[in-house]
Structure formats: structure tokens, C-alpha cells
């Protein structure tokens, strides 16, 4: 089945220690998104890619970076995690023609100690 | 800016009908989507309105009125498994999605 996969499902890191979250998709979608979701809050868009075209949200901290080496893979790098970065990180994809429908991965829950 | 408002909580009984409203303020409006998210899970797409009117998908329907900047999700024949959070999300013509804060639906026996 075509899907969006995120690894790992749970990630524990130390304050200030860089961490990378990964996302892969078999849907062959051009658009990939990274969201941050804190408990009982809405998913908040961090950035998205149209193919290799990177689009950063204005209020996304510089601490968050992303890479998309090819259509299938996208990475979220948190350079110096703080306690406030503990959250669920959701990857999603959509086709350019069907941007209203996003397909989400299961998420990676990040814990910062 | 972009903003969406929806009720924080709704409670209903099994078999009932419930309507979750969403009002929005945005520029470059492209359409309104609805997502369901169970506790600990990922959002799952439910429905989309790009034009005014009603879209029906099984027990779930969604409505949009562009002139009123308003939409709703209608859930019929409620089941216990429908207990979840429901998010409206508007899409802009730049391809961005902004989510509302979500409505927690509790279905009681």
C-alpha cells in the first residue's frame, strides 16, 4: 500500500543535541510538509517543499532545518533542541493537483531531556 | 493573517447527528478541508470543499459558504469510534494549509 512512513516513532534526545527525523513516501507526491503538533493543539506548519523548492514559514525558528534529497525522502533537522521543542512531528504529502488532501505519516514523538 | 475558529469541545450520544462549525479569515482562499485525529494518531483526511455547497461522503458531510467564510462538518449516525479531534484546515492558492485548533468530539453511549 502507498503510504507515508516516519522513523523513528519515538525519539529521545538531550537538550542541545542535534537530532534528525526522517520521512519517506511511496505516493510519488511532489509536495511534502513538516508540521509540529503540541498536546491538544493544531498541527503547525514548519515548512514545505514543492519538489525541491523549499518554502519556510516566517515564524519557523532557524533551529529547524530540512532536506529533501529526492522525491521520496524528506528530513527534519533540529540543530539544538530545547525543552520547548518536545512535540509530535508530522510529515505529510500531497500532489500538486490535490493540495487540499494531505496524507500524514504516523508522526515522530520527540522528547527532550 | 490566517485564522480559523471552531468549538473546542462537542459531546453527543451514539446514533445522534452532530455539526462542527468552522469560521475562517484568510487571504488567497482555495478551499476548506476536514481531518480526523484520534488520540496519539495522525490526522486523516475526511472531506474537502472547494466550492459552495454540500459534499457527502458516507456518514460524513461537509458544507462551505464562501460568502459567509463559514463551513461545517456533519457527522451522522454517530458511533463510539467517532470520538476524536476534528480539524478544519483552509488551503491557500499558494499551497499552504492552516489548521484550526480542533474540536474534541466525545460520543457517549
Amino acid at each position: 500500500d502507498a503510504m507515508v512512513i516516519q522513523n523513528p516513532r519515538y525519539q529521545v534526545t538531550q537538550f542541545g543535541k542535534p537530532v534528525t527525523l526522517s520521512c519517506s513516501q511511496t505516493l510519488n507526491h511532489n509536495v511534502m510538509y513538516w508540521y509540529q503538533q503540541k498536546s491538544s493543539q493544531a498541527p503547525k506548519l514548519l515548512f514545505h517543499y514543492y519538489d525541491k523548492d523549499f518554502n519556510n514559514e516566517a515564524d519557523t525558528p532557524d533551529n529547524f532545518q530540512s532536506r529533501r534529497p529526492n522525491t521520496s525522502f524528506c528530513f527534519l533537522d533540529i540543530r539544538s533542541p530545547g525543552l520547548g521543542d518536545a512535540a509530535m512531528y508530522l510529515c505529510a504529502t500531497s500532489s500538486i493537483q490535490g493540495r487540499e488532501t494531505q496524507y500524514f505519516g504516523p508522526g515522530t514523538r520527540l522528547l527532550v531531556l | 493573517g490566517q485564522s480559523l475558529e471552531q468549538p473546542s469541545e462537542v459531546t453527543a450520544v451514539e446514533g445522534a447527528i452532530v455539526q462542527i462549525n468552522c469560521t475562517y479569515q484568510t487571504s488567497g482562499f482555495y478551499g476548506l478541508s476536514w481531518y480526523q485525529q484520534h488520540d496519539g494518531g495522525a490526522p486523516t483526511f475526511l472531506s474537502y470543499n472547494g466550492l459552495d455547497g454540500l459534499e457527502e461522503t458516507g456518514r460524513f458531510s461537509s458544507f462551505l459558504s464562501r460568502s459567509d467564510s463559514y463551513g461545517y462538518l456533519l457527522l451522522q449516525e454517530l458511533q463510539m469510534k467517532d470520538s476524536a479531534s476534528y480539524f478544519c484546515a483552509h488551503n491557500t492558492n499558494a499551497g499552504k494549509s492552516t489548521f484550526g485548533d480542533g474540536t474534541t468530539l466525545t460520543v457517549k453511549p
Side-chain angles (χ1 to χ4, degrees):
Chain A
D1 285 343
M3 58 179 61
V4 182
I5 302 161
Q6 289 188 247
N7 285 305
R9 294 293 309 276
Y10 299 90
Q11 176 73 56
V12 181
T13 191
Q14 292 177 334
F15 183 93
K17 185 175 180 181
V19 66
T20 295
L21 309 182
S22 71
C23 176
S24 63
Q25 54 127 341
T26 60
L27 297 160
N28 204 31
H29 281 166
N30 301 94
V31 192
M32 293 187 78
Y33 309 81
W34 278 105
Y35 289 88
Q36 180 193 64
Q37 187 177 27
K38 297 188 176 180
S39 182
S40 301
Q41 295 184 20
K44 180 181 180 300
L45 183 65
L46 296 173
F47 22 61
H48 71 282
Y49 281 91
Y50 276 130
D51 291 322
K52 286 189 175 267
D53 183 21
F54 177 70
N55 299 272
N56 197 31
E57 291 301 296
D59 57 355
T60 298
D62 292 341
N63 196 28
F64 292 88
Q65 303 286 318
S66 184
R67 296 168 284 135
R68 189 179 185 186
N70 54 53
T71 301
S72 300
F73 286 88
C74 196
F75 300 97
L76 171 62
D77 301 309
I78 308 177
R79 297 194 293 189
S80 181
L83 298 178
D85 296 329
M88 175 76 87
Y89 290 89
L90 295 161
C91 173
T93 74
S94 71
S95 65
I96 290 178
Q97 300 84 356
R99 287 166 294 176
E100 67 279 0
T101 307
Q102 295 185 23
Y103 297 84
F104 283 82
T108 295
R109 185 166 294 283
L110 178 68
L111 180 62
V112 181
L113 301 178
Chain B
Q2 324 274 2
S3 67
L4 301 97
E5 288 191 16
Q6 48 182 131
S8 58
E9 294 179 349
V10 172
T11 301
V13 296
E14 254 186 315
I17 299 172
V18 72
Q19 178 174 313
I20 300 173
N21 298 321
C22 175
T23 57
Y24 60 87
Q25 289 184 324
T26 182
S27 56
F29 182 80
Y30 186 79
L32 196 70
S33 301
W34 289 91
Y35 289 84
Q36 178 193 61
Q37 186 176 30
H38 285 100
D39 215 20
T44 303
F45 173 79
L46 289 177
S47 188
Y48 169 73
N49 295 80
L51 301 173
D52 285 1
L54 191 68
E55 290 288 334
E56 296 180 82
T57 311
R59 293 190 297 117
F60 296 170
S61 304
S62 60
F63 172 83
L64 177 66
S65 168
R66 286 172 172 260
S67 59
D68 295 323
S69 297
Y70 163 76
Y72 66 71
L73 178 69
L74 190 73
L75 298 88
Q76 303 182 70
E77 301 172 19
L78 281 175
Q79 302 175 8
M80 298 295 290
K81 67 179 182 179
D82 297 330
S83 293
S85 293
Y86 292 84
F87 295 91
C88 58
H90 70 59
N91 317 109
T92 70
N93 50 20
K96 288 174 43 173
S97 289
T98 302
F99 284 72
D101 286 340
T103 299
T104 300
L105 170 64
T106 302
V107 180
K108 295 189 172 180

